[in-house]
Amino acid sequence: MSVLTIDREGEIAVAILDNPPVNAISAEVRCALWQAVETLDADPGIRAVVLVCAGRSFIAGADVKEFGLPPVEPHLPDLVARIEAAAKPWTAAIHGAALGGGLEIALGCRFRLIDAEARVGFPEVGLGIIPGASGTVRTPRLAGIEAAVEMVTSGKPVPAPEALRLGLVDAMVTGDLRGAAVSYAASMIGGPLPEPVSARPVETRPDSYWSERRTRLEKAGEAAPLRALEAVRKATEASFDEAMAFERATFLALRDSPEAAALRHVFFAERAALRPAALKGVAPRNIGSVGVVGGGTMGAGIAAAFRMAGMPVTLIERDAGAAARAHAAVSRIFDGAAARGKLTGDEAKALSDGLICTDDPTALGDVDLAIEAVFEDLAVKRAVFDDLARVCRPDAILATNTSYLDPRRLAEGVPAPERLIGLHFFSPAHVMKLLEIVPLPGTAPEVLATAFDLARRLGKMPVRAGICEGFIGNRILKRHRAAAEDLLAEGVPVAAVDAAMRGFGFRMGPFEAQDLGGLDIAFLQREAARAEGRDVPETLADILVRAGRKGQKTGGGWYDYPEGGRMPVASDAVARLLTDRIAGGEVPAPDAIAERLVGAMADEGATILAEGIADSAAEIDLVEIHGYGFPRSKGGPMHWTGRG
Ligand code: T1G
């Protein structure tokens, strides 16, 4: 079946594009649209054309799957120009989203109508590229320079009312979009047509305007937004054709860059992660209410995340005072979001009002899911699980947020093991996107499917992890830190390691990050393992903790923090403490340092994969990107080292 069919409504042709799931522009779509312009131009019975799309969306952009392949004619910029030059005017009827090349096709049409719930945008920078079929050249002509710059450099979509205000579309429709578009097109027949967008004038801006924007974008350190800005500037200073040539050349050069390849890898990895093939056809349960046990940083963050996803939450603390403090802690999260303009005051209040904090565990008697987020200690967590088994419905899903303990030991003897699962959130849980989902041997597939569904509802990135100490992320973190300590032992200064990793794209280096989070957490774990008789060699971090250096909170860790500040200063005390363990060696170049540490992460990733703890290299990359600040534009440790 063809991707394009034509219906006739009197003198109007309705071209219906149907290329599931999101009408991405493949070579076949380009050919079919080109052919339709030709056929309809030649048809004397037709005076106008409406372009509608089947399925959940208008055209979501160029087909990202074709990016690695040689370009095939007709090229998209030529197709957009052909639609614009059609003898019969085309009207785009946009529902869902018109993104990237999809919006460019709409810009080639003479008229654009939009469903009130739809959005339009240029997400290309998120793929390491810029629009490649006139987005940077036509948009400033239609919606002005400011809107064009914002859209192409941020990648953020614009909702329908805003698109109307900016002049990107001619009318907004609620209800029957196709009917409205046909009437609109019919009403324009015989009247004067607006100028094609390419022929419209464009404003200019002084040098200072562009340099100011450039400075702002340079801070983020990514190539594509800067190049997108240059392309818009070109569109305002050169002829339409010159600007088109500049945009195309920039687009093609970026498309073949390692950054774009990495971002494409992440694009597909993220989409695959949300719908694991192993769970195809398994229906999730509906979770209508949630219980959280423990109101510390983790529990409060988890409660906030569920409230923000619209679910009622009951949080259990050990006494009334702790319950009140937990309520205040979660409310502070909402108030903070309101202060930053992310929520209105009323929304923050409603979120806070929908949270019950109590010391009475029987309040969890009817929740669909209960998550324990108490102190990381086997006996403590076991006791909570026993309580949950007693008070919750026998079919309620019981989850542990443990980061290191074996969930099988936590759940031993708990009745109905098919409902037990690990849900490992990352701190702060209402912000961090990663969710490691850890099935136990007896976990039912529908419980696993429910966990993935919950992740989607929470806006999280779910990754299945098998059972081992630290699951995927913390196990790699351990190896990463050990490799970083090895560098110190070879004589590389702490600050040089951190600087190299920042240079690679992490927001923080491994030592700064430990100082921020506290060195004592991992230390206590190692001590617990030693107490169990396991052979855990003394780390350099252990030496610091034993000397009272637990990080920023104690005024010093790997660095000193004079006067309780946050500015790290190289520490003589650390040098003295570690002097016996450090050899004097040559300091490698920053790139070599990063290569070693990322290499260590990937080595551990390969072992994890071989053991079946992770299902794919791409999922390991997602863990690092969404849980540990690995730079997205490098694709994750497995991709970057060519292992995934
Ligand atoms: N190409 C190929 N496949 C795509 C795709 C695309 N552009 N967009 C989505 N898919 C697949 C996706 O992999 C998934 O597949 C399925 O569609 C549903 O996606 C020249 C350079 C439209 C808002 O970046 O933002 O145009 O997993 O789970 O939540 O200037 O998809 O089912 O096998 O995300 O309903 C610019 C990206 C391209 C659009 C729908 N366009 N897509 O969200 O579904 S560059 C984009 C989205 C470009 C021109 C250039 C979303 C969506 P599978 P989904 P959704």
Side-chain angles (χ1 to χ4, degrees):
M1 213 188 86
S2 166
V3 289
L4 194 77
T5 47
I6 312 265
D7 274 2
R8 278 153 204 276
E9 297 198 17
E11 294 177 309
I12 312 288
V14 182
I16 306 157
L17 184 62
D18 189 4
N19 185 30
V22 293
N23 297 307
I25 311 163
S26 58
E28 189 188 359
V29 167
R30 292 196 302 275
C31 283
L33 281 168
W34 188 284
Q35 193 54 50
V37 179
E38 298 279 315
T39 310
L40 296 170
D41 267 4
D43 187 332
I46 292 299
R47 298 188 67 193
V49 185
V50 167
L51 174 62
V52 297
C53 289
R56 62 183 186 265
S57 182
F58 191 76
I59 303 165
D63 190 337
V64 180
K65 289 194 211 78
E66 290 189 352
F67 278 19
L69 310 172
V72 178
E73 286 186 345
H75 302 306
L76 190 55
D78 300 333
L79 173 65
V80 174
R82 181 69 192 88
I83 292 173
E84 190 178 63
K88 317 290 166 68
W90 281 52
T91 297
I94 300 168
H95 78 290
L99 299 176
L103 180 52
E104 292 171 318
I105 286 188
L107 295 183
C109 293
R110 221 37 98 94
F111 303 105
R112 284 155 295 281
L113 263 63
I114 192 165
D115 177 84
E117 300 298 321
R119 56 214 161 91
V120 300
F122 290 112
E124 282 87 342
V125 289
L127 292 165
I129 54 176
I130 69 166
S134 84
T136 66
V137 191
R138 282 193 171 86
T139 310
R141 290 177 157 77
L142 192 60
I145 295 175
E146 278 68 29
V149 165
E150 174 59 23
M151 287 174 76
V152 301
T153 62
S154 77
K156 284 201 200 104
V158 173
E162 177 74 357
L164 183 64
R165 194 185 64 74
L166 292 171
L168 280 165
V169 295
D170 303 293
M172 191 166 82
V173 177
T174 18
D176 175 15
L177 179 66
R178 172 176 164 162
V182 169
S183 307
Y184 191 92
S187 72
M188 295 297 162
I189 290 176
L193 286 178
E195 286 226 274
V197 178
S198 64
R200 298 190 197 182
V202 61
E203 299 175 286
T204 55
R205 291 287 179 274
D207 220 22
S208 57
Y209 172 88
W210 300 105
S211 50
E212 196 204 305
R213 300 264 158 334
R214 191 169 54 237
T215 312
R216 267 193 246 160
L217 292 172
E218 265 163 1
K219 287 206 186 91
E222 280 176 29
L226 280 165
R227 307 305 305 275
L229 180 74
E230 285 167 20
V232 179
R233 179 174 190 171
K234 190 78 173 178
T236 65
E237 294 176 352
S239 71
F240 181 83
D241 289 342
E242 276 173 302
M244 285 297 294
F246 182 84
E247 180 194 73
R248 189 75 184 160
T250 309
F251 161 76
L252 289 174
L254 285 174
R255 199 184 69 161
D256 296 333
S257 67
E259 195 170 299
L263 289 165
R264 281 200 296 278
H265 161 73
V266 180
F267 175 90
F268 286 115
E270 287 179 341
R271 278 160 176 83
L274 286 167
R275 295 182 199 85
L279 291 173
K280 211 165 175 196
V282 184
R285 285 195 213 166
N286 182 38
I287 298 296
S289 59
V290 178
V292 178
V293 183
T297 311
M298 215 29 167
I302 293 172
F306 278 101
R307 282 300 298 127
M308 284 158 145
M311 284 174 254
V313 176
T314 304
L315 188 151
I316 308 297
E317 256 296 354
R318 76 179 75 111
D319 56 47
R325 283 193 297 280
H327 202 288
V330 182
S331 297
R332 266 198 303 280
I333 293 175
F334 303 143
D335 293 343
R340 285 192 308 278
K342 304 227 149 130
L343 296 173
T344 66
D346 287 349
E347 284 166 341
K349 182 169 179 319
L351 288 176
S352 178
D353 289 350
L355 171 71
I356 296 169
C357 294
T358 167
D359 60 354
D360 174 12
T362 62
L364 301 187
D366 202 31
V367 296
D368 298 322
L369 162 75
I371 304 175
E372 72 73 19
V374 297
F375 187 63
E376 193 74 3
D377 175 276
L378 188 64
V380 177
K381 284 192 186 275
R382 269 229 55 132
V384 169
F385 254 71
D386 288 340
D387 270 354
L388 290 175
R390 203 166 33 79
V391 301
C392 292
R393 284 196 328 259
D395 67 328
I397 296 175
L398 306 184
T400 171
N401 178 52
T402 184
S403 28
Y404 285 96
L405 299 171
D406 185 335
R408 289 168 300 200
R409 289 178 69 192
L410 289 182
E412 256 163 32
V414 175
E418 68 280 0
R419 63 189 172 140
L420 306 178
I421 195 156
L423 292 179
H424 183 211
F425 289 84
F426 289 73
S427 191
H430 59 290
V431 176
M432 297 298 288
K433 287 257 178 271
L434 178 62
L435 179 65
E436 282 181 334
I437 296 179
V438 188
L440 280 71
T443 304
E446 55 144 358
V447 171
L448 191 55
T450 305
F452 277 86
D453 187 54
L454 271 176
R456 266 195 298 280
R457 287 173 68 187
L458 294 171
K460 304 275 182 226
M461 191 51 63
V463 173
R464 185 204 69 92
I467 297 174
C468 67
E469 193 177 273
F471 308 122
I472 301 173
N474 282 342
R475 186 164 150 183
I476 293 176
L477 179 66
K478 190 169 161 189
R479 178 80 170 260
H480 177 196
R481 286 181 174 167
E485 288 201 0
D486 287 348
L487 284 167
L488 300 193
E490 290 165 26
V492 183
V494 172
V497 176
D498 281 340
M501 296 314 275
R502 265 186 272 112
F504 183 79
F506 282 87
R507 286 266 281 287
M508 262 186 256
F511 297 113
E512 299 162 308
Q514 288 178 65
D515 274 1
L516 185 68
L519 277 66
D520 46 333
I521 305 166
F523 169 79
L524 287 175
Q525 259 148 29
R526 290 189 291 272
E527 287 289 90
R530 287 171 188 134
E532 282 186 2
R534 284 157 61 193
D535 177 24
V536 181
E538 184 87 340
T539 66
L540 301 185
D542 290 338
I543 299 174
L544 300 197
V545 176
R546 289 189 209 289
R549 301 187 63 94
K550 297 181 187 168
Q552 283 190 18
K553 61 185 171 190
T554 60
W558 292 103
Y559 297 91
D560 291 339
Y561 296 87
E563 289 146 30
R566 284 164 165 257
M567 268 299 283
V569 175
S571 171
D572 291 339
V574 169
R576 275 195 303 278
L577 282 167
L578 302 182
T579 180
D580 293 348
R581 302 273 302 258
I582 286 179
E586 231 172 79
V587 178
D591 284 355
I593 292 175
E595 205 164 304
R596 249 195 57 197
L597 295 192
V598 176
M601 296 166 84
D603 285 345
E604 191 65 28
T607 313
I608 283 172
L609 201 54
E611 289 174 15
I613 297 296
D615 293 326
S616 68
E619 283 165 72
I620 295 174
D621 286 337
L622 292 181
V623 165
E624 292 306 312
I625 290 167
H626 292 291
Y628 298 85
F630 196 99
R632 195 181 169 85
S633 58
K634 296 229 164 44
M638 307 305 280
H639 175 86
W640 195 74
T641 55
R643 292 191 230 197

